[in-house]
Amino acid sequence: MTLAAATNEHLASISNTLIYSSMAVYTLAFFAYIAEWLFGSRSKVARTAAALTADSGKKAGAPAVTVKNAGGTAVLERPQVVVRSASGARDVPDGPGAHGGDEQGDLYGRIAVSLTMLAFLIELGGVVARAASVERAPWGNMYEFNITFSTVAVGVYLALLALRKNVRWMGLFLVTSVLLDLGLAVTVLYTASDQLVPALHSYWLYIHVSTAIFCGAVFYVGAVATILYLFKDSYENKLLSGGKPGSFATSVLERLPASASLDKFAYRVNAAVFPLWTFTIIAGAIWAGDAWGRYWNWDPKETWSFITWIAYACYLHARATAGWKGRKAAYLAMIAFGCWLFNYYGVNIFVSGKHSYAGV
């Protein structure tokens, strides 16, 4: 074995170790997020107090507590709970977050975010080591795509937190799916380090695949927000109609942002990344022209990328149409993400085509 081959094999081993290490830290973060939700669920009083603070009222339009005098006795009047914004009214106040206003719950949430950051850095190191071991971009097969995708998804989440966006409620759902993604990568999709087929030796690999991974990560964040929006919207509708949701649903859903906030967040992230997804398809077509002599071959990967583009275009158009806002548009968003997910897993694993490399 040459020195270069031995070095590459050693780097591949380091990469595998770092990926497994990141999974261990993500697991610790998972339990910390669980603790945040559990401690938050115990403090109904703390959550109510947090929702009625002056700052909360200024930012989200929360109802104020008023005091009436009845025969010289101060009477604390219970504020009216608004479960849905009326036409022309301000939005329903957002929930306090997973910690529910509980200090210990908030502490566990901060620990969870710190562990998520540490796991992200370790996983990023694993991706870089994998790239060094193969001396190319680490996107030549599904294993490499998976570990890079989960790294970018967590990076998007941490970037939103750094921008002071209210997204910590997403942490538990994100880390859970990242662990599933990495578990699938190391058990089912793992492929030993190898060189690319000749068609992939192009600078378009760095342009086309990197944008595809980033778009997928942002679409995933939008999909999580959309799923939670559907649950929160049903919860608000039930309250509005006089129903009484179960205690578990109440404990979880009342701490999430309002359905209007979740809907707006999902729309904004999907709309922001849609132009980049359009560029991804165009870049892929240009690369296909260079590699295969034709810009479009109706290859399964190309076809499903275009179907995904149409689905998200329909969703964005629906959001701009009054009659299709809300749940109808959200269902379209989930169909669109389902198309992306099938393009990501289904086409690569179950369908043969020009994009089938290295088995998976």
Side-chain angles (χ1 to χ4, degrees):
M1 181 182 292
T2 64
L3 178 60
T7 301
N8 290 344
E9 185 175 342
H10 180 63
L11 287 170
S13 177
I14 292 175
S15 173
N16 294 339
T17 301
L18 289 173
I19 295 299
Y20 279 105
S21 299
S22 71
M23 293 176 66
V25 181
Y26 278 130
T27 302
L28 295 176
F30 169 80
F31 285 115
Y33 281 119
I34 288 288
E36 179 187 18
W37 281 93
L38 288 177
F39 279 97
S41 68
R42 70 179 184 174
S43 181
K44 181 84 172 181
V45 175
R47 293 199 302 276
T48 303
L52 297 177
T53 57
D55 288 340
S56 177
K58 291 177 182 178
K59 293 180 181 178
V65 177
T66 59
V67 178
K68 290 185 176 180
N69 290 322
T73 303
V75 179
L76 183 65
E77 186 179 72
R78 184 182 180 86
Q80 181 181 2
V81 179
V82 181
V83 296
R84 180 170 296 281
S85 56
S87 178
R90 303 174 76 177
D91 287 343
V92 177
D94 290 336
H99 56 80
D102 181 85
E103 291 185 4
Q104 195 167 3
D106 182 60
L107 174 62
Y108 278 109
R110 294 177 184 276
I111 292 173
V113 171
S114 299
L115 289 170
T116 303
M117 171 67 80
L118 176 60
F120 165 76
L121 293 175
I122 295 173
E123 187 182 10
L124 180 61
V127 173
V128 172
R130 176 75 177 198
S133 71
V134 294
E135 300 179 346
R136 57 170 172 78
W139 310 318
N141 50 62
M142 281 294 291
Y143 168 75
E144 295 174 355
F145 197 93
N146 264 41
I147 61 175
T148 306
F149 169 76
S150 59
T151 303
V152 175
V154 175
V156 171
Y157 166 70
L158 293 174
L160 290 171
L161 285 177
L163 293 172
R164 300 186 181 279
K165 302 297 181 181
N166 177 25
V167 295
R168 203 169 86 185
W169 45 267
M170 188 182 293
L172 177 60
F173 309 98
L174 176 72
V175 168
T176 302
S177 56
V178 164
L179 281 170
L180 292 173
D181 180 74
L182 290 177
L184 181 65
V186 299
T187 57
V188 178
L189 301 176
Y190 181 77
T191 304
S193 301
D194 200 0
Q195 294 303 309
L196 296 174
V197 296
L200 294 182
H201 285 286
S202 171
Y203 60 89
W204 284 105
L205 172 68
Y206 297 91
I207 300 173
H208 172 64
V209 182
S210 63
T211 54
I213 292 173
F214 179 77
C215 288
V218 178
F219 283 147
Y220 166 76
V221 170
V224 171
T226 301
I227 292 173
L228 294 178
Y229 157 75
L230 291 171
F231 281 106
K232 187 62 182 278
D233 185 64
S234 296
Y235 172 76
E236 291 179 0
N237 280 331
K238 194 166 187 177
L239 289 177
L240 187 64
S241 63
K244 186 177 180 180
S247 58
F248 177 77
T250 299
S251 175
V252 173
L253 295 175
E254 70 179 2
R255 286 180 274 165
L256 293 176
S259 62
S261 298
L262 290 169
D263 184 42
K264 186 184 297 183
F265 173 77
Y267 170 67
R268 285 180 173 176
V269 296
N270 286 328
V273 82
F274 181 73
L276 189 60
W277 181 250
T278 304
F279 170 78
T280 300
I281 296 176
I282 295 173
I286 296 174
W287 187 10
D290 289 344
W292 302 319
R294 292 182 61 183
Y295 292 106
W296 197 264
N297 297 280
W298 291 107
D299 180 75
K301 177 69 70 173
E302 295 172 347
T303 302
W304 276 97
S305 295
F306 184 58
I307 291 173
T308 302
W309 185 91
I310 292 176
Y312 273 108
C314 290
Y315 161 71
L316 295 176
H317 177 71
R319 284 292 276 103
T321 305
W324 276 84
K325 286 183 179 180
R327 296 186 70 87
K328 291 181 179 179
Y331 291 138
L332 283 178
M334 293 312 302
I335 291 173
F337 184 71
C339 292
W340 185 89
L341 207 59
F342 180 77
N343 189 34
Y344 178 25
Y345 285 110
V347 172
N348 282 38
I349 296 175
F350 303 112
V351 182
S352 298
K354 289 181 176 295
H355 287 78
S356 300
Y357 299 117
V360 287

mmCIF file of all heavy atoms in Angstrom, residues 36-76:
data_model
loop_
_atom_site.group_PDB
_atom_site.id
_atom_site.type_symbol
_atom_site.label_atom_id
_atom_site.label_comp_id
_atom_site.label_asym_id
_atom_site.label_seq_id
_atom_site.Cartn_x
_atom_site.Cartn_y
_atom_site.Cartn_z
ATOM 1 N N GLU A 36 -36.125 19.612 28.330
ATOM 2 C CA GLU A 36 -36.698 20.953 28.189
ATOM 3 C C GLU A 36 -38.213 20.886 28.063
ATOM 4 O O GLU A 36 -38.949 21.627 28.726
ATOM 5 C CB GLU A 36 -36.098 21.655 26.962
ATOM 6 C CG GLU A 36 -36.664 23.048 26.740
ATOM 7 C CD GLU A 36 -36.193 23.674 25.436
ATOM 8 O OE1 GLU A 36 -35.721 22.925 24.553
ATOM 9 O OE2 GLU A 36 -36.307 24.902 25.303
ATOM 10 N N TRP A 37 -38.703 19.970 27.224
ATOM 11 C CA TRP A 37 -40.152 19.829 27.059
ATOM 12 C C TRP A 37 -40.811 19.299 28.326
ATOM 13 O O TRP A 37 -41.910 19.744 28.702
ATOM 14 C CB TRP A 37 -40.451 18.902 25.879
ATOM 15 C CG TRP A 37 -40.322 19.567 24.544
ATOM 16 C CD1 TRP A 37 -39.221 19.600 23.742
ATOM 17 C CD2 TRP A 37 -41.330 20.308 23.848
ATOM 18 N NE1 TRP A 37 -39.477 20.311 22.583
ATOM 19 C CE2 TRP A 37 -40.768 20.747 22.632
ATOM 20 C CE3 TRP A 37 -42.652 20.624 24.143
ATOM 21 C CZ2 TRP A 37 -41.489 21.504 21.702
ATOM 22 C CZ3 TRP A 37 -43.372 21.373 23.217
ATOM 23 C CH2 TRP A 37 -42.793 21.820 22.020
ATOM 24 N N LEU A 38 -40.153 18.358 29.002
ATOM 25 C CA LEU A 38 -40.755 17.775 30.210
ATOM 26 C C LEU A 38 -40.855 18.795 31.335
ATOM 27 O O LEU A 38 -41.886 18.907 31.998
ATOM 28 C CB LEU A 38 -39.938 16.564 30.670
ATOM 29 C CG LEU A 38 -40.041 15.310 29.794
ATOM 30 C CD1 LEU A 38 -39.123 14.214 30.327
ATOM 31 C CD2 LEU A 38 -41.486 14.804 29.744
ATOM 32 N N PHE A 39 -39.783 19.544 31.574
ATOM 33 C CA PHE A 39 -39.824 20.546 32.636
ATOM 34 C C PHE A 39 -40.770 21.686 32.265
ATOM 35 O O PHE A 39 -41.402 22.277 33.142
ATOM 36 C CB PHE A 39 -38.422 21.081 32.929
ATOM 37 C CG PHE A 39 -37.614 20.184 33.809
ATOM 38 C CD1 PHE A 39 -36.699 19.286 33.273
ATOM 39 C CD2 PHE A 39 -37.776 20.213 35.177
ATOM 40 C CE1 PHE A 39 -35.959 18.446 34.086
ATOM 41 C CE2 PHE A 39 -37.037 19.381 36.005
ATOM 42 C CZ PHE A 39 -36.124 18.488 35.461
ATOM 43 N N GLY A 40 -40.857 21.988 30.981
ATOM 44 C CA GLY A 40 -41.802 23.020 30.560
ATOM 45 C C GLY A 40 -43.245 22.612 30.766
ATOM 46 O O GLY A 40 -44.110 23.446 31.040
ATOM 47 N N SER A 41 -43.535 21.307 30.657
ATOM 48 C CA SER A 41 -44.917 20.844 30.776
ATOM 49 C C SER A 41 -45.440 20.899 32.205
ATOM 50 O O SER A 41 -46.644 20.879 32.437
ATOM 51 C CB SER A 41 -45.021 19.397 30.269
ATOM 52 O OG SER A 41 -44.331 18.518 31.142
ATOM 53 N N ARG A 42 -44.546 21.008 33.186
ATOM 54 C CA ARG A 42 -44.990 20.942 34.581
ATOM 55 C C ARG A 42 -45.447 22.290 35.115
ATOM 56 O O ARG A 42 -46.032 22.369 36.191
ATOM 57 C CB ARG A 42 -43.845 20.433 35.451
ATOM 58 C CG ARG A 42 -42.701 21.424 35.612
ATOM 59 C CD ARG A 42 -41.587 20.911 36.490
ATOM 60 N NE ARG A 42 -40.569 21.930 36.690
ATOM 61 C CZ ARG A 42 -39.540 21.792 37.506
ATOM 62 N NH1 ARG A 42 -39.395 20.671 38.178
ATOM 63 N NH2 ARG A 42 -38.650 22.758 37.641
ATOM 64 N N SER A 43 -45.138 23.372 34.396
ATOM 65 C CA SER A 43 -45.352 24.702 34.954
ATOM 66 C C SER A 43 -46.397 25.465 34.170
ATOM 67 O O SER A 43 -46.093 26.311 33.343
ATOM 68 C CB SER A 43 -44.038 25.489 34.974
ATOM 69 O OG SER A 43 -44.249 26.763 35.526
ATOM 70 N N LYS A 44 -47.655 25.163 34.395
ATOM 71 C CA LYS A 44 -48.750 25.889 33.751
ATOM 72 C C LYS A 44 -48.749 27.347 34.193
ATOM 73 O O LYS A 44 -48.960 28.260 33.402
ATOM 74 C CB LYS A 44 -50.074 25.232 34.142
ATOM 75 C CG LYS A 44 -51.303 25.866 33.521
ATOM 76 C CD LYS A 44 -51.545 25.336 32.135
ATOM 77 C CE LYS A 44 -52.875 25.832 31.587
ATOM 78 N NZ LYS A 44 -53.127 25.304 30.234
ATOM 79 N N VAL A 45 -48.490 27.577 35.469
ATOM 80 C CA VAL A 45 -48.476 28.938 35.997
ATOM 81 C C VAL A 45 -47.365 29.755 35.347
ATOM 82 O O VAL A 45 -47.544 30.912 34.964
ATOM 83 C CB VAL A 45 -48.307 28.925 37.527
ATOM 84 C CG1 VAL A 45 -48.156 30.338 38.068
ATOM 85 C CG2 VAL A 45 -49.493 28.235 38.182
ATOM 86 N N ALA A 46 -46.190 29.142 35.208
ATOM 87 C CA ALA A 46 -45.059 29.854 34.607
ATOM 88 C C ALA A 46 -45.356 30.220 33.169
ATOM 89 O O ALA A 46 -45.012 31.297 32.698
ATOM 90 C CB ALA A 46 -43.808 28.992 34.679
ATOM 91 N N ARG A 47 -46.003 29.297 32.434
ATOM 92 C CA ARG A 47 -46.321 29.586 31.031
ATOM 93 C C ARG A 47 -47.331 30.720 30.929
ATOM 94 O O ARG A 47 -47.228 31.589 30.072
ATOM 95 C CB ARG A 47 -46.859 28.327 30.339
ATOM 96 C CG ARG A 47 -45.838 27.240 30.183
ATOM 97 C CD ARG A 47 -46.270 26.244 29.117
ATOM 98 N NE ARG A 47 -47.559 25.640 29.418
ATOM 99 C CZ ARG A 47 -47.733 24.589 30.202
ATOM 100 N NH1 ARG A 47 -46.697 24.061 30.820
ATOM 101 N NH2 ARG A 47 -48.933 24.079 30.394
ATOM 102 N N THR A 48 -48.335 30.709 31.804
ATOM 103 C CA THR A 48 -49.341 31.768 31.778
ATOM 104 C C THR A 48 -48.719 33.107 32.116
ATOM 105 O O THR A 48 -48.984 34.123 31.459
ATOM 106 C CB THR A 48 -50.460 31.448 32.787
ATOM 107 O OG1 THR A 48 -51.021 30.181 32.464
ATOM 108 C CG2 THR A 48 -51.553 32.510 32.730
ATOM 109 N N ALA A 49 -47.826 33.110 33.113
ATOM 110 C CA ALA A 49 -47.168 34.351 33.495
ATOM 111 C C ALA A 49 -46.296 34.887 32.371
ATOM 112 O O ALA A 49 -46.274 36.087 32.098
ATOM 113 C CB ALA A 49 -46.321 34.121 34.747
ATOM 114 N N ALA A 50 -45.588 33.976 31.679
ATOM 115 C CA ALA A 50 -44.716 34.407 30.575
ATOM 116 C C ALA A 50 -45.531 35.007 29.449
ATOM 117 O O ALA A 50 -45.101 35.954 28.796
ATOM 118 C CB ALA A 50 -43.902 33.226 30.071
ATOM 119 N N ALA A 51 -46.714 34.452 29.212
ATOM 120 C CA ALA A 51 -47.548 34.946 28.106
ATOM 121 C C ALA A 51 -48.142 36.303 28.400
ATOM 122 O O ALA A 51 -48.571 37.003 27.496
ATOM 123 C CB ALA A 51 -48.652 33.941 27.802
ATOM 124 N N LEU A 52 -48.184 36.693 29.689
ATOM 125 C CA LEU A 52 -48.855 37.931 30.069
ATOM 126 C C LEU A 52 -47.892 39.026 30.514
ATOM 127 O O LEU A 52 -48.308 40.014 31.094
ATOM 128 C CB LEU A 52 -49.853 37.651 31.200
ATOM 129 C CG LEU A 52 -51.004 36.706 30.850
ATOM 130 C CD1 LEU A 52 -51.870 36.450 32.069
ATOM 131 C CD2 LEU A 52 -51.835 37.280 29.737
ATOM 132 N N THR A 53 -46.592 38.828 30.269
ATOM 133 C CA THR A 53 -45.631 39.865 30.635
ATOM 134 C C THR A 53 -45.776 41.056 29.714
ATOM 135 O O THR A 53 -46.320 40.965 28.610
ATOM 136 C CB THR A 53 -44.193 39.336 30.547
ATOM 137 O OG1 THR A 53 -43.966 38.856 29.226
ATOM 138 C CG2 THR A 53 -43.950 38.220 31.549
ATOM 139 N N ALA A 54 -45.247 42.154 30.157
ATOM 140 C CA ALA A 54 -45.354 43.367 29.347
ATOM 141 C C ALA A 54 -44.650 43.217 28.020
ATOM 142 O O ALA A 54 -45.153 43.643 26.984
ATOM 143 C CB ALA A 54 -44.777 44.549 30.136
ATOM 144 N N ASP A 55 -43.451 42.600 28.030
ATOM 145 C CA ASP A 55 -42.712 42.441 26.784
ATOM 146 C C ASP A 55 -43.476 41.586 25.803
ATOM 147 O O ASP A 55 -43.531 41.871 24.612
ATOM 148 C CB ASP A 55 -41.345 41.811 27.063
ATOM 149 C CG ASP A 55 -40.414 42.783 27.755
ATOM 150 O OD1 ASP A 55 -40.676 43.994 27.668
ATOM 151 O OD2 ASP A 55 -39.438 42.321 28.384
ATOM 152 N N SER A 56 -44.060 40.500 26.302
ATOM 153 C CA SER A 56 -44.827 39.621 25.434
ATOM 154 C C SER A 56 -46.009 40.360 24.853
ATOM 155 O O SER A 56 -46.360 40.202 23.697
ATOM 156 C CB SER A 56 -45.298 38.381 26.213
ATOM 157 O OG SER A 56 -46.091 37.562 25.392
ATOM 158 N N GLY A 57 -46.621 41.192 25.680
ATOM 159 C CA GLY A 57 -47.776 41.935 25.182
ATOM 160 C C GLY A 57 -47.408 42.912 24.105
ATOM 161 O O GLY A 57 -48.131 43.096 23.133
ATOM 162 N N LYS A 58 -46.240 43.557 24.254
ATOM 163 C CA LYS A 58 -45.817 44.520 23.240
ATOM 164 C C LYS A 58 -45.482 43.853 21.928
ATOM 165 O O LYS A 58 -45.758 44.360 20.864
ATOM 166 C CB LYS A 58 -44.600 45.305 23.754
ATOM 167 C CG LYS A 58 -44.926 46.249 24.908
ATOM 168 C CD LYS A 58 -43.667 46.919 25.409
ATOM 169 C CE LYS A 58 -43.965 47.835 26.593
ATOM 170 N NZ LYS A 58 -42.739 48.462 27.132
ATOM 171 N N LYS A 59 -44.846 42.660 22.007
ATOM 172 C CA LYS A 59 -44.370 42.004 20.798
ATOM 173 C C LYS A 59 -45.457 41.218 20.089
ATOM 174 O O LYS A 59 -45.470 41.125 18.877
ATOM 175 C CB LYS A 59 -43.208 41.064 21.141
ATOM 176 C CG LYS A 59 -41.956 41.793 21.597
ATOM 177 C CD LYS A 59 -40.854 40.809 21.920
ATOM 178 C CE LYS A 59 -39.608 41.533 22.402
ATOM 179 N NZ LYS A 59 -38.535 40.598 22.777
ATOM 180 N N ALA A 60 -46.335 40.609 20.848
ATOM 181 C CA ALA A 60 -47.291 39.699 20.215
ATOM 182 C C ALA A 60 -48.737 40.105 20.414
ATOM 183 O O ALA A 60 -49.646 39.406 19.990
ATOM 184 C CB ALA A 60 -47.088 38.275 20.756
ATOM 185 N N GLY A 61 -48.983 41.240 21.065
ATOM 186 C CA GLY A 61 -50.353 41.663 21.243
ATOM 187 C C GLY A 61 -51.083 40.838 22.285
ATOM 188 O O GLY A 61 -52.284 40.605 22.171
ATOM 189 N N ALA A 62 -50.402 40.357 23.313
ATOM 190 C CA ALA A 62 -51.032 39.544 24.343
ATOM 191 C C ALA A 62 -51.992 40.403 25.154
ATOM 192 O O ALA A 62 -51.746 41.586 25.373
ATOM 193 C CB ALA A 62 -49.965 38.942 25.258
ATOM 194 N N PRO A 63 -53.098 39.836 25.610
ATOM 195 C CA PRO A 63 -54.064 40.613 26.376
ATOM 196 C C PRO A 63 -53.494 41.036 27.716
ATOM 197 O O PRO A 63 -52.733 40.305 28.342
ATOM 198 C CB PRO A 63 -55.229 39.633 26.561
ATOM 199 C CG PRO A 63 -54.607 38.279 26.448
ATOM 200 C CD PRO A 63 -53.493 38.432 25.452
ATOM 201 N N ALA A 64 -53.824 42.217 28.150
ATOM 202 C CA ALA A 64 -53.309 42.737 29.411
ATOM 203 C C ALA A 64 -54.216 42.324 30.557
ATOM 204 O O ALA A 64 -55.399 42.088 30.386
ATOM 205 C CB ALA A 64 -53.216 44.262 29.339
ATOM 206 N N VAL A 65 -53.640 42.249 31.750
ATOM 207 C CA VAL A 65 -54.419 41.975 32.953
ATOM 208 C C VAL A 65 -54.956 43.296 33.481
ATOM 209 O O VAL A 65 -54.206 44.252 33.658
ATOM 210 C CB VAL A 65 -53.542 41.284 34.018
ATOM 211 C CG1 VAL A 65 -54.338 41.070 35.292
ATOM 212 C CG2 VAL A 65 -53.023 39.963 33.487
ATOM 213 N N THR A 66 -56.241 43.371 33.722
ATOM 214 C CA THR A 66 -56.848 44.595 34.213
ATOM 215 C C THR A 66 -57.362 44.382 35.628
ATOM 216 O O THR A 66 -57.692 43.264 36.034
ATOM 217 C CB THR A 66 -58.011 45.043 33.309
ATOM 218 O OG1 THR A 66 -58.993 43.988 33.268
ATOM 219 C CG2 THR A 66 -57.521 45.315 31.897
ATOM 220 N N VAL A 67 -57.443 45.472 36.380
ATOM 221 C CA VAL A 67 -57.930 45.418 37.755
ATOM 222 C C VAL A 67 -59.143 46.322 37.887
ATOM 223 O O VAL A 67 -59.102 47.485 37.500
ATOM 224 C CB VAL A 67 -56.836 45.860 38.748
ATOM 225 C CG1 VAL A 67 -57.362 45.853 40.183
ATOM 226 C CG2 VAL A 67 -55.623 44.954 38.630
ATOM 227 N N LYS A 68 -60.233 45.768 38.385
ATOM 228 C CA LYS A 68 -61.449 46.546 38.599
ATOM 229 C C LYS A 68 -61.680 46.717 40.098
ATOM 230 O O LYS A 68 -61.370 45.821 40.889
ATOM 231 C CB LYS A 68 -62.650 45.848 37.965
ATOM 232 C CG LYS A 68 -62.634 45.864 36.440
ATOM 233 C CD LYS A 68 -63.909 45.265 35.889
ATOM 234 C CE LYS A 68 -63.944 45.361 34.373
ATOM 235 N NZ LYS A 68 -65.192 44.784 33.814
ATOM 236 N N ASN A 69 -62.236 47.829 40.447
ATOM 237 C CA ASN A 69 -62.574 48.075 41.833
ATOM 238 C C ASN A 69 -64.051 47.802 42.052
ATOM 239 O O ASN A 69 -64.907 48.399 41.394
ATOM 240 C CB ASN A 69 -62.258 49.512 42.236
ATOM 241 C CG ASN A 69 -60.767 49.759 42.304
ATOM 242 O OD1 ASN A 69 -60.031 48.876 42.733
ATOM 243 N ND2 ASN A 69 -60.327 50.951 41.898
ATOM 244 N N ALA A 70 -64.354 46.891 42.943
ATOM 245 C CA ALA A 70 -65.745 46.568 43.255
ATOM 246 C C ALA A 70 -65.953 46.811 44.738
ATOM 247 O O ALA A 70 -65.566 46.007 45.578
ATOM 248 C CB ALA A 70 -66.045 45.112 42.910
ATOM 249 N N GLY A 71 -66.572 47.967 45.033
ATOM 250 C CA GLY A 71 -66.821 48.297 46.430
ATOM 251 C C GLY A 71 -65.552 48.441 47.229
ATOM 252 O O GLY A 71 -65.481 48.047 48.398
ATOM 253 N N GLY A 72 -64.502 48.981 46.601
ATOM 254 C CA GLY A 72 -63.253 49.210 47.302
ATOM 255 C C GLY A 72 -62.339 48.006 47.333
ATOM 256 O O GLY A 72 -61.250 48.072 47.859
ATOM 257 N N THR A 73 -62.790 46.892 46.763
ATOM 258 C CA THR A 73 -61.965 45.681 46.732
ATOM 259 C C THR A 73 -61.397 45.489 45.334
ATOM 260 O O THR A 73 -62.141 45.536 44.350
ATOM 261 C CB THR A 73 -62.796 44.442 47.113
ATOM 262 O OG1 THR A 73 -63.362 44.649 48.410
ATOM 263 C CG2 THR A 73 -61.925 43.204 47.138
ATOM 264 N N ALA A 74 -60.097 45.297 45.233
ATOM 265 C CA ALA A 74 -59.457 45.090 43.934
ATOM 266 C C ALA A 74 -59.761 43.683 43.453
ATOM 267 O O ALA A 74 -59.545 42.707 44.175
ATOM 268 C CB ALA A 74 -57.957 45.299 44.034
ATOM 269 N N VAL A 75 -60.286 43.600 42.233
ATOM 270 C CA VAL A 75 -60.619 42.307 41.649
ATOM 271 C C VAL A 75 -59.768 42.100 40.392
ATOM 272 O O VAL A 75 -59.789 42.941 39.496
ATOM 273 C CB VAL A 75 -62.124 42.219 41.286
ATOM 274 C CG1 VAL A 75 -62.429 40.865 40.654
ATOM 275 C CG2 VAL A 75 -62.971 42.452 42.514
ATOM 276 N N LEU A 76 -59.018 41.015 40.348
ATOM 277 C CA LEU A 76 -58.189 40.702 39.187
ATOM 278 C C LEU A 76 -59.068 40.048 38.130
ATOM 279 O O LEU A 76 -59.620 38.962 38.345
ATOM 280 C CB LEU A 76 -57.051 39.756 39.573
ATOM 281 C CG LEU A 76 -56.055 39.401 38.472
ATOM 282 C CD1 LEU A 76 -55.287 40.648 38.044
ATOM 283 C CD2 LEU A 76 -55.082 38.334 38.951
#
